[in-house]
Structures are given as structure tokens and as C-alpha cells.
Amino acid sequence: MPSDRAFLSEEILRLKKKRRAVILAHNYQRDEVQEIADFVGDSLELSRTTSTIDCEAIVFAGVHFMAESASILSPDKTVLLTEIDAGCPMADMIRVDSPREVKTAFPGFKSPPAYMYPPQFTLKDIKAHYPGVPVVAYVNTTAEVKAESFICCTSANIVKIIESLPDENVICVPDRNLSMWAQRNTKKRVISWDGYCHVHERVMPEDVQNAREQHPQALVMAHPECRLDVLEMADYVTSTSGMLRFAHTSSAKEFIIGTERGLLYRLRLENPSKIFYPLRKDMICPNMKKTTLESIFHSLQENRYIVKVSETIRISARKSLDRMLAVP
Ligand code: 13P
Ligand code: SF4
């Protein structure tokens, strides 16, 4: 197996050309993966790109639901996920009709709102409980869940998506923190699932306090997958690409970054005169980090791992994604 970095990069470029492939990478990917990618972005940007890109194959350096979205939006292209077991535990917290196994309690989460739906239920249960109420599915969901939902959203557009609907009540799945953040920013009633991202959930208010004490000049940015009590302490709450934009335009020189550490690579690269600190050193998504240059090479060389959503699911899931993409 080739391992030399320069050799691997050359081979990847050669195979990419031969296969008319493009490499899409999420902002959380390893530095060297972001470096070789044709496009790096947040979930919304990557979804928009997959639907417009001219190529024969898409190599997705990300997690499973992202490759599924690419397959839903580009059924004629070969979609490859670089690592077969790169999944998103939060996306796996909701199922259409078979409940997930409850393995974890929710440490530190003292008083879930009454409208929070516990994980032993299914998406079909919650829909039956609230007939006619539209389901807004975070893109961090399986294709099946998207197919059972009315519209998708990302962390960048959830409030806009909710506001675009005529309904006064909406069901948001699966991230309770993102839902509570949306509830803070809309007058509509948000009925939430109680999924969460283990990388963002671990940030506690004390972490924000400690980081501020260590870097008193720095502004705190936090991803809406963080707990609400953490978000309330942040200076700016936004998606990963929202953080990139804020860092560019803000006159501040130092920032504390409350999201997965992979984002620091682009923040530093694009803002060499500014300083970025991770809010917690352990904000690392093990699934995002599974992809390496070797995986990209093997993916292109051996045409692996093909992600293809079945046509019945794809057609319904596509409607949910298209409705989201149509919201300006
Ligand atoms: P965004 O890049 O859309 O902010 O999403 C973060 C995330 O956790 C993706 O898994
Ligand atoms: Fe899923 Fe969290 Fe990893 Fe994003 S950072 S892929 S939400 S586990």
C-alpha cells in the first residue's frame, strides 16, 4: 500500500482525472484531506455542490449521511464514501419505524422540555402523535428519515426553513440542541427529538468560562449542536461555514472555536493574522477523522465504497432536500 504523502497526492490527482471525479470534504476533515479536496464546506454548501457539479464520480470525505445526500441529489453519478463505517451517531439516533437501542443516559441534561421526544419512539410515532405537523429533518439523518420528512435543514438555515413553512407547529429531528436553538429564534412551536452530537454535547458552560479567562480578548463562536446553556454564553452561534465568514469579517483578532477541531485548519489558513483556540481540545469527531489520503486513494482505485440510495426512498428524500434548497 503506498503511504508516502507526495506519492499518494499525485496518484489521487491522476485517478481523479482518469475517472472524472471530484473530491468533496467536510470542514471537519483532516488537514491533508481538506488540502487535496476540490471543494470543502459545511453540510449546506456540500449539498448545493453535489446537485450542480459536472463529473462522473463524487468521492465523499465525510460521513455516511452526506454521501447519501449526494446519491439522492445526483443519482446518475457514482458516489463513493471513503470509509464504509464513517457514520454519524446522531443520525443513527432516529429511525423511521424501529426504535434505536437506548445505550446512553444524558449526563448533565437536567430538565428536558416536556415536548422532547425520547429515543424509544420512532419517527412514525411522533408523526402519529402530531398528525399534519410537518417534520423538519436535519441533514444529519438517514435517507429513510429524510424520505419520511417534509423538508430538510442544516445548522445554517434551520430558522429560515421553519419560518418558510405556513404551519405554527413543526417537528424537528434529531438534534435537541439545534431544535432548542431554533425555538429560541422563532415564535413557532418546535417539537423536538432528543438526539445529540457527542462531540458538541460534551462542551459545558465551565469550558466557556475557562476559555474566556485564558483568552480574555477572544470572541466565542459556538455551533448550534452545543447545549443551550453553552450557546447562551457564546458571542456568535452559527454553522461551520458561518464561523469562517464571521472570522473573515469581524474586527476581532482572537476567537475561541466551539466546534470540531478540523475547522481550525481553514480558519488559520484563511486568516493568517488572527488567532484561533479550540473551546475544548477533545472536540474531535472520530468518524470524520476516519478518512485519510490512503482511503481516498483506495476509494478511487477500487471504486469503493459505493453509496446508492434505493429509488423509492430517493424520490421522497429528494423532495425534502429540494424543498430546503429552494428556500433562498
Ligand atoms: P455544519 O458543517 O453544517 O455546520 O454541520 C456540522 C456537523 O456536525 C456535520 O456533521
Ligand atoms: Fe455527527 Fe457530531 Fe460527527 Fe457531525 S460532529 S458527524 S454531528 S457525530
Side-chain angles (χ1 to χ4, degrees):
M1 183 177 71
S3 58
D4 173 71
R5 191 161 159 175
F7 174 78
L8 273 174
S9 304
E10 256 177 51
E11 280 299 289
I12 289 170
L13 294 178
R14 182 183 65 76
L15 287 166
K16 225 177 61 163
K17 212 166 161 191
K18 186 174 153 201
R19 299 210 44 194
R20 251 181 40 86
V22 293
I23 302 171
L24 303 188
H26 187 265
N27 284 326
Y28 295 160
Q29 289 290 304
R30 291 169 187 269
D31 300 0
E32 63 274 23
V33 170
Q34 295 194 37
E35 217 171 274
I36 205 153
D38 296 290
F39 191 85
V40 184
D42 69 3
S43 309
L44 181 60
E45 292 168 335
L46 293 173
S47 292
R48 286 196 196 282
T49 306
T50 52
S51 55
T52 55
I53 216 157
D54 175 29
C55 64
E56 278 167 31
I58 295 171
V59 178
F60 226 112
V63 290
H64 193 262
F65 74 81
M66 296 180 170
E68 273 192 340
S69 294
S71 165
I72 294 165
L73 293 165
S74 305
D76 301 333
K77 291 167 191 156
T78 303
V79 177
L80 302 171
L81 179 64
T82 45
E83 287 290 333
I84 191 64
D85 60 348
C88 169
M90 172 161 66
D92 292 335
M93 286 179 182
I94 184 161
R95 289 279 177 248
V96 171
D97 48 20
S98 57
R100 78 176 167 105
E101 210 182 315
V102 183
K103 290 193 181 127
T104 36
F106 300 124
F109 195 73
K110 293 187 189 82
S111 52
Y115 51 77
M116 192 77 74
Y117 245 74
Q120 63 266 34
F121 292 94
T122 66
L123 181 56
K124 282 200 171 153
D125 291 330
I126 192 169
K127 283 175 74 174
H129 199 145
Y130 295 100
V133 176
V135 176
V136 178
Y138 191 24
V139 285
N140 298 38
T141 45
T142 60
E144 287 78 9
V145 167
K146 289 183 178 77
E148 273 293 321
S149 303
F150 179 72
I151 191 166
C152 290
C153 75
T154 71
S155 59
N157 65 13
I158 185 166
V159 176
K160 248 194 216 171
I161 296 292
I162 292 173
E163 297 292 327
S164 76
L165 300 171
D167 314 74
E168 278 315 303
N169 298 318
V170 293
I171 297 166
C172 288
V173 299
D175 186 9
R176 64 186 179 208
N177 294 328
L178 181 65
S179 302
M180 283 193 279
W181 179 247
Q183 181 67 90
R184 272 293 154 94
N185 291 285
T186 178
K187 290 201 163 57
K188 298 187 178 195
R189 179 177 180 235
V190 178
I191 300 154
S192 176
W193 199 256
D194 78 344
Y196 62 97
C197 162
H198 68 107
V199 180
H200 291 85
E201 178 78 11
R202 70 179 61 139
V203 182
M204 294 291 151
E206 306 83 85
D207 295 316
V208 182
Q209 211 175 316
N210 291 342
R212 279 201 193 277
E213 277 165 20
Q214 279 175 33
H215 310 292
Q217 306 301 324
L219 292 183
V220 176
M221 290 195 253
H223 194 280
E225 287 176 13
C226 293
R227 295 156 46 111
L228 194 57
D229 48 8
V230 166
L231 298 179
E232 280 165 349
M233 295 170 77
D235 295 300
Y236 196 54
V237 176
T238 184
S239 70
T240 53
S241 288
M243 290 186 193
L244 284 157
R245 282 188 291 275
F246 185 73
H248 283 298
T249 51
S250 166
S251 58
K253 293 276 174 268
E254 292 179 49
F255 302 86
I256 295 159
I257 305 302
T259 195
E260 213 274 352
R261 290 190 58 160
L263 186 67
L264 292 167
Y265 170 73
R266 261 185 90 187
L267 282 166
R268 288 173 176 151
L269 189 74
E270 294 173 13
N271 304 278
S273 63
K274 299 186 175 182
I275 306 172
F276 300 94
Y277 312 100
L279 178 48
R280 271 180 69 120
K281 291 200 167 72
D282 60 356
M283 290 190 79
I284 295 172
C285 174
N287 282 287
M288 284 283 183
K289 297 301 191 252
K290 282 178 181 161
T291 296
T292 59
L293 288 183
E294 276 92 342
S295 358
I296 297 177
F297 168 77
H298 287 297
S299 188
L300 281 161
Q301 169 97 328
E302 291 148 43
N303 202 34
R304 74 184 201 197
Y305 296 93
I306 297 176
V307 173
K308 182 99 185 132
V309 175
S310 79
E311 201 52 15
T312 347
I313 299 290
R314 193 189 74 77
I315 290 167
S316 304
R318 166 119 205 192
K319 285 186 191 146
S320 297
L321 279 169
D322 279 346
R323 285 189 187 109
M324 170 184 85
L325 294 170
V327 175

